[in-house]
Structure formats: C-alpha cells, structure tokens
C-alpha cells in the first residue's frame, strides 16, 4: 500500500556562502559535531537569510552547507612549475 504524498514545485534559491576565515582544528572539529562558536555563526547566518526572505521562507527548510578547505603549500622546487 503506497501512500501518496503532495509534491510541491521546487524553486531554486541561490546558495549563501559564508567565509569563516582561518580557524583552528579544534573549532572545525566542534563545527562538525554541531557545537561551538562557528556553529553559532552559521546558525546566525541561516536566521538572517530566513528573515530576509520574510513570508517566502514559510514552509521552507534552509540547510547550510559549510565547506572547509586548506590551501596546499607550493613545493619548494621552482623549476618544476
């Protein structure tokens, strides 16, 4: 017995990119676990986005996507570039 679910048309929302700057491993670990100051900052940004959408945000779920990256150092061998 299959249940029929109401399907709504999906509208694309531009992604919100938050630059958190250079962070320690400890802060990044806490962010991955959903705790700490970085998580608070991400939550604040999601709340601001929700407030900016106003009544258009009603019934929508905002899922933050956080990318953590580290720039690789260049190799010391200049003639191989």
């Amino acid at each position: 017995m299959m249940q029929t679910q109401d399907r709504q048309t999906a509208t694309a929302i531009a992604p919100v990119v938050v630059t958190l700057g250079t962070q320690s491993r400890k802060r990044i670990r806490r962010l991955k676990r959903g705790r700490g100051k970085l998580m608070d900052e991400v939550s604040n940004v999601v709340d601001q986005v929700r407030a900016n959408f106003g009544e258009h945000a009603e019934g929508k779920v905002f899922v933050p996507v956080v990318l953590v990256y580290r720039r690789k150092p260049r190799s010391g061998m200049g003639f191989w570039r």
Side-chain angles (χ1 to χ4, degrees):
M1 298 187 170
M2 290 185 104
Q3 294 179 350
T4 306
Q5 295 179 355
D6 294 338
R7 294 186 183 195
Q8 297 176 348
T9 57
T11 57
I13 298 174
V16 178
V17 179
V18 181
T19 304
L20 298 174
T22 305
Q23 300 295 329
S24 68
R25 289 180 183 180
K26 191 175 195 178
R27 283 187 169 192
I28 293 170
R29 192 176 331 117
R30 287 181 182 162
L31 174 64
K32 287 179 184 178
R33 294 177 182 164
R35 296 187 231 136
K37 290 182 180 182
L38 295 180
M39 188 62 196
D40 293 340
E41 193 168 334
V42 171
S43 296
N44 288 339
V45 170
V46 171
D47 291 341
Q48 287 176 2
V49 169
R50 189 175 286 122
N52 286 341
F53 273 95
E55 63 186 42
H56 296 292
E58 207 169 296
K60 294 187 181 181
V61 177
F62 291 92
V63 179
V65 177
V66 180
L67 300 176
V68 178
Y69 65 93
R70 186 180 312 162
R71 200 177 284 187
K72 267 189 161 180
R74 286 188 154 178
S75 71
M77 305 177 87
F79 60 88
W80 290 106
R81 289 187 197 180

